Structures are given as structure tokens and as C-alpha cells.
Amino acid sequence: MDEVAEQLTDLLAQDLDAGFTELVRVHARGVHAFLLRVSGSAADADDLGQDAFLRAYTALRDYPPERRRALQPRAWLMTIAANVWRNHVRSSSRRPMSVMRVDDAPDMWSDADPGPAERALNAVDRGRLVAALSDLPEYYRVPVVLRHVVGMSYAEVAQVQGCPVGTAKAQVSRGMSDLRRLLTSEEKGEVTT
């Protein structure tokens, strides 16, 4: 556990409310980025993120201080967020149809002051990537987003997914292969199903 996570879990063990405020401050952006990329909707990501943090706080209230101190906060929160997402998918009768507009989260893919031409190319590329990502099946989309958007290690992805590390690596690899195939098919003007 890194020093920041250790300080956070110590604070959670000593003072739940102050610790939870810090937990949200440190991890809200990562949870939102994950939910945004798996849902494809900024509004859904906001709602699901609130639900995830509400569930986290409710769980923490019932944990004794020693269990709060032993948490791996990022993996624990991403597990909750992934479960909230899965529950959302199960409870809806359809797969989320909306695709996030490129403008919904400009800071998520920020560049170092690109020029107008580069901005136009980046916006097109981002839009294609977001659309292709939303076309991935959930069992590949979740691990790909955890690994490549949130930046989690394979061990953390495996913990969130509740599977061995080798399985998490395979899910990410297959998801990335499918993502490349979707992007290549789109470039060639092929229709994917």
C-alpha cells in the first residue's frame, strides 16, 4: 500500500467523516472516469458515482476501525463502482444507447495546448474511441477501462473483477484486440455487429 493510501485508511479508521471526505477527494475523479467510459453517458456516470459513494459510506459505517485501516481504497471503490454499473445494466431492459459526446468530459483526455487542426483530429479520434469502447461487451469494457482509463494495475483489475490476475490480463488483452478491430473496421467503412 502506498503512503497516500495508508494515510487515507488511517484517517478512515480514526474519523470516518473526515476520512470519507478525503476518500471522495482522492478517488472521485477515477470513479467518475471509470463510470463515464463504461456507461458512455456523463449523466449516468454522475448518478452511478453518487450511488457508488453512498454505498461505500454505508459500508464503511459498519466496518470496525481495523477493517477500514486494512482497505485498499482504490480497488475497493472500483469494485463498488463496477458492481453499481453491473446492477444498472441488469436492471435496465436495454443496453445504454447514448454515446458520450466528446464535449462531455474535455478534461478526461486533455492535451497540452493543441492547435485548431490537431484539436479537430483529436476530437474525431476521441469520438471514434468512445463509440468503439461503448460497442465492446461489458465483460471486456470494464477491465479495459479499469486498466487503460483509470490506470489500475492488473492485480487491482483482478481484485475488482474477482478473478485471477491471468484472467484479468486476458480480459484486457481481448478487449483491446476487439477495440482495435472495431476501430479498424470503422476506418475501412465496414459495418460491425
Side-chain angles (χ1 to χ4, degrees):
M1 186 181 320
D2 68 13
E3 187 177 326
V4 173
E6 194 172 317
Q7 290 173 350
L8 179 57
T9 56
D10 284 345
L11 184 57
L12 280 168
Q14 295 168 11
D15 181 353
L16 176 59
D17 290 334
F20 187 76
T21 299
E22 186 65 8
L23 180 80
V24 172
R25 187 190 69 74
V26 170
H27 294 290
R29 186 178 177 129
V31 168
H32 187 267
F34 165 72
L35 291 168
L36 180 63
R37 294 297 170 229
V38 296
S39 72
S41 164
D44 284 348
D46 290 343
D47 292 344
L48 296 169
Q50 288 178 13
D51 189 20
F53 279 107
L54 177 62
R55 289 172 189 236
Y57 184 78
T58 302
L60 286 169
R61 280 192 340 221
D62 295 334
Y63 288 4
E66 46 289 343
R67 185 169 180 193
R68 288 186 222 148
R69 189 171 275 113
L71 279 178
Q72 294 178 346
R74 183 165 81 156
W76 181 75
L77 278 171
M78 289 302 171
T79 301
I80 292 170
N83 287 335
V84 166
W85 165 247
R86 288 180 188 112
N87 291 341
H88 173 73
V89 169
R90 272 187 222 111
S91 68
S92 63
S93 61
R94 59 174 170 65
R95 184 170 178 214
M97 297 301 289
S98 66
V99 173
M100 184 190 82
R101 290 188 358 247
V102 174
D103 309 338
D104 283 350
D107 61 330
M108 300 299 295
W109 306 81
S110 63
D111 299 316
D113 299 317
E118 189 179 19
R119 266 198 196 132
L121 286 175
N122 286 340
V124 169
D125 288 344
R126 268 183 275 158
R128 288 180 49 240
L129 181 60
V130 167
L133 193 56
S134 69
D135 286 342
L136 279 180
E138 181 205 346
Y139 52 88
Y140 291 149
R141 187 177 346 151
V142 169
V144 165
V145 170
L146 289 171
R147 176 73 178 140
H148 293 289
V149 175
V150 179
M152 296 181 89
S153 69
Y154 284 112
E156 290 174 311
V157 172
Q159 186 177 352
V160 171
Q161 292 289 90
C163 65
V165 173
T167 302
K169 286 180 179 180
Q171 290 171 336
V172 171
S173 176
R174 289 180 188 131
M176 290 301 293
S177 292
D178 281 2
L179 195 57
R180 283 185 203 96
R181 182 184 50 75
L182 288 167
L183 290 168
T184 302
S185 296
E186 183 188 295
E187 284 175 5
K188 293 178 180 177
E190 298 172 5
V191 177
T192 60
T193 54

